[in-house]
Amino acid sequence: MSEGVAPKAALPTAPSPTTERYARHVNPAFVKLLGVLGYGRVFTRARDVWLWDDQGREYLDFLAGFGSVNLGHNHPRLVERLQRFLTEEALHFCHVGPTEHAAELAEALCARLDPPLEVALFASSGGEAVEAGMKLARAATGRSAFIFCEGGFHGTSFGALSLMGEARMRKPFEPLLAGCHRIPFGDLDALERILQKNKVAAFVVEPLLAEGGVILPPPGYLRAAQELCRKHGAVLVLDEVQTGLGRLGRRFAYQGQGFVPDVLVLAKGLSGGIVPVSVAVTSAELHTRAYGATDRFDLHSTTFGGNALACAAALETLRILDDEALAENAAKRGAELLDGLKKRLAGHPLVRDIRGEGLLVGIELGPTDSGLLNRLAPGLVGLVSEKVFGQWAALRLLEEGIVCQPASHRWDVLRLEPPLTVRPAEVARVIDAVARILGDYTGMVPLLRDVVARVGEQRKREGAFR
Ligand code: PLP
């Protein structure tokens, strides 16, 4: 692959038809926001860890569709399987009998999981599968309350949104589902207090807070949380939508933690980065309690859940993950990324922490001491650290040919999350670019100066998309 990325001065300014159509018919405010700092790019092509925009510029993808593209973009084996599948006259939809592809995928998935996980409820998105877990917990326990974590992210449909750990995303839609209790991530005492006082159906939790800022729990947290749930008759739903399927350096995030969740939710990476598919997997016992009677078997369903194409894609994805040992690669490359960043950024006055597991790494940005500007204008420094710095770093990296984004709930945490196929040289290139860019900012003053200059420049161009 070539390394060439055109310098900023060469950026074309004419809007593309895609930008105009998107702004008019899909999401006007998003396009406007991209224009504010000059983030505008139209990406049109992708292969493995590489993306290209409509100007032919090449980028290393360290976002991977927010953790969906574990196999790398357009993995040739998956593409070939899907091409062949479309010639097989498969029964795509029927809904009046058991379906071959859903049965095969469910068996293959459960063979990779641990007992008692053996019944799969398929859907298309992560949020839908989280809601499948929530409904299953209610139907199985006959209880109504839920517990979720501050900083958690489980989707934006009404049920999943009721467990959203950030106020900005909930507020416009309230009132949400009643009886949803928020606790700090990692706090077992808070969990037990809510379990004692309420009839809780489920505690829904991520193995680590991904959108919440790449926050790892204390050791043994999930296992202890499940013990508390069991003691109080509640179910533990583990949301591995972003962290499962190799992302954290093992096939499933719960493995090696001394417990098996009551419900495991997978989505994003199961798609192979191509065909939407998600699943909530549970035990036969819980499934029977919820849906195991002839007047209850159809209480939960979705038209596209378990469709043939999605199942074929997911099955091939599971096989590729194994055959190419991508979880192992995630563990090795993730360690290189974390160690390399820690070495290169050690003692940096604007780097508060570098953390992560496998190929999900976060760099927490912001002043580590009370510099002069911080003492004179703490509000401004707080605002810039929390709302601007992460996006600014992502923009500078974009201009170096690297795509990444801050965590959705924590814009001060720059998240690095490449496909699991990433190679050592690509990891090294990103470490180098991050260290070089952050090296330009050893205090808040130069950062503010550059941001103000860029906003001024964009203003003159009337916030043009590019
Ligand atoms: N759960 C987690 C942990 C996620 O990160 C996401 C999406 O980012 C979801 C659930 C929702 O998935 P979807 O966007 O497919 O509904």
Side-chain angles (χ1 to χ4, degrees):
M1 300 288 170
S2 79
E3 302 267 311
V5 174
K8 194 171 168 288
L11 293 183
T13 51
S16 72
T18 298
T19 311
E20 287 184 340
R21 284 183 197 126
Y22 200 92
R24 192 176 172 93
H25 299 294
V26 183
N27 194 335
F30 180 44
V31 172
K32 196 168 170 190
L33 184 65
L34 290 170
V36 169
L37 281 176
Y39 202 99
R41 299 287 190 282
V42 179
F43 296 101
T44 51
R45 197 161 68 80
R47 188 170 70 235
D48 193 22
V49 297
W50 299 94
L51 305 176
W52 289 269
D53 69 15
D54 62 355
Q55 307 300 310
R57 288 169 301 196
E58 185 176 84
Y59 303 81
L60 250 182
D61 183 4
F62 263 57
L63 182 59
F66 294 84
S68 306
V69 189
N70 288 9
L71 299 188
H73 294 273
N74 291 307
H75 192 290
R77 195 172 133 187
L78 179 58
V79 169
E80 190 275 327
R81 172 68 193 117
L82 294 176
Q83 281 170 335
R84 204 160 23 91
F85 187 76
L86 290 175
T87 67
E88 287 173 5
E89 296 191 349
L91 178 63
H92 288 283
F93 296 102
C94 182
H95 296 295
V96 291
T99 55
E100 181 189 347
H101 301 98
E104 195 183 4
L105 172 61
E107 186 182 67
L109 186 57
C110 294
R112 287 163 171 79
L113 298 169
D114 296 275
L117 295 174
E118 64 171 328
V119 184
L121 293 95
F122 290 114
S124 305
S125 70
E128 273 180 285
V130 166
E131 298 211 4
M134 294 170 73
K135 285 178 66 186
L136 177 105
R138 273 199 174 177
T141 62
R143 295 156 154 230
S144 64
F146 293 104
I147 306 178
F148 65 100
C149 290
E150 284 163 16
F153 189 111
H154 303 285
T156 58
S157 52
F158 267 105
L161 189 63
S162 306
L163 312 180
M164 178 65 80
E166 217 233 0
R168 183 182 74 88
M169 306 216 47
R170 310 164 52 95
K171 273 267 171 282
F173 309 100
E174 285 174 350
L176 295 166
L177 214 52
C180 294
H181 304 269
R182 191 175 54 188
I183 58 169
F185 184 59
D187 186 338
L188 290 167
D189 293 339
L191 177 64
E192 182 146 41
R193 273 197 301 280
I194 305 285
L195 285 166
Q196 275 164 348
K197 285 197 196 133
N198 301 273
K199 292 271 175 231
V200 175
F203 174 38
V204 183
V205 62
E206 294 167 75
L208 60 77
L209 294 182
E211 300 304 336
V214 192
I215 312 271
L216 280 68
Y221 171 63
L222 293 172
R223 180 190 167 151
Q226 188 185 48
E227 277 165 17
L228 288 176
C229 286
R230 293 225 160 126
K231 185 169 141 198
H232 294 280
V235 164
L236 185 126
V237 177
L238 190 67
D239 177 349
E240 292 201 18
V241 166
Q242 192 162 161
T243 47
L245 297 159
R247 171 65 51 196
L248 299 191
R250 47 192 185 271
R251 246 196 205 153
F252 299 99
Y254 77 83
Q255 286 171 333
Q257 312 289 303
F259 83 112
V260 179
D262 303 302
V263 180
L264 175 72
V265 182
L266 301 167
K268 292 184 185 280
L270 193 60
S271 67
I274 300 184
V275 188
V277 53
S278 65
V279 68
V281 193
T282 190
S283 64
E285 194 257 329
L286 270 179
H287 189 265
T288 303
R289 274 162 58 192
Y291 303 125
T294 48
D295 62 342
R296 291 171 76 95
F297 80 98
D298 59 348
L299 291 185
H300 182 80
S301 69
T302 160
T303 301
F304 294 110
N307 76 77
L309 186 66
C311 290
L315 185 58
E316 194 65 14
T317 296
L318 292 177
R319 290 176 176 154
I320 295 170
L321 282 166
D322 286 353
D323 293 348
E324 298 191 1
L326 292 182
E328 288 81 348
N329 195 54
K332 287 187 197 141
R333 302 291 84 79
E336 286 165 14
L337 182 60
L338 197 61
D339 294 349
L341 289 168
K342 281 186 174 168
K343 273 193 198 112
R344 293 287 298 274
L345 296 171
H348 191 295
L350 296 183
V351 174
R352 289 180 169 156
D353 194 17
I354 303 170
R355 54 184 178 250
E357 243 190 304
L359 283 170
L360 182 48
V361 168
I363 306 171
E364 187 174 328
L365 300 166
T368 54
D369 63 11
S370 49
L372 181 64
L373 186 63
N374 208 356
R375 286 198 298 275
L376 291 176
L380 177 67
V381 169
L383 183 78
V384 173
S385 312
E386 280 163 33
K387 301 287 176 213
V388 179
F389 198 178
Q391 288 294 358
W392 178 255
L395 173 68
R396 292 282 317 269
L397 284 163
L398 184 78
E399 290 170 358
E400 294 261 338
I402 294 163
V403 170
C404 64
Q405 272 291 292
S408 305
H409 295 339
R410 287 281 305 268
W411 286 11
D412 58 333
V413 178
L414 187 67
R415 159 242 317 263
L416 299 171
E417 191 174 9
L420 310 187
T421 52
V422 72
R423 282 159 288 263
E426 292 145 3
V427 169
R429 176 173 155 188
V430 169
I431 294 169
D432 194 55
V434 171
R436 220 164 356 91
I437 283 165
L438 293 182
D440 288 347
Y441 304 109
T442 49
M444 294 302 279
V445 175
L447 174 72
L448 269 171
R449 186 194 56 214
D450 278 8
V451 172
V452 169
R454 179 66 65 87
V455 171
E457 210 178 283
Q458 282 299 111
R459 267 229 181 104
K460 271 192 235 146
R461 301 172 59 210
E462 293 170 347
F465 179 74
R466 62 184 188 190

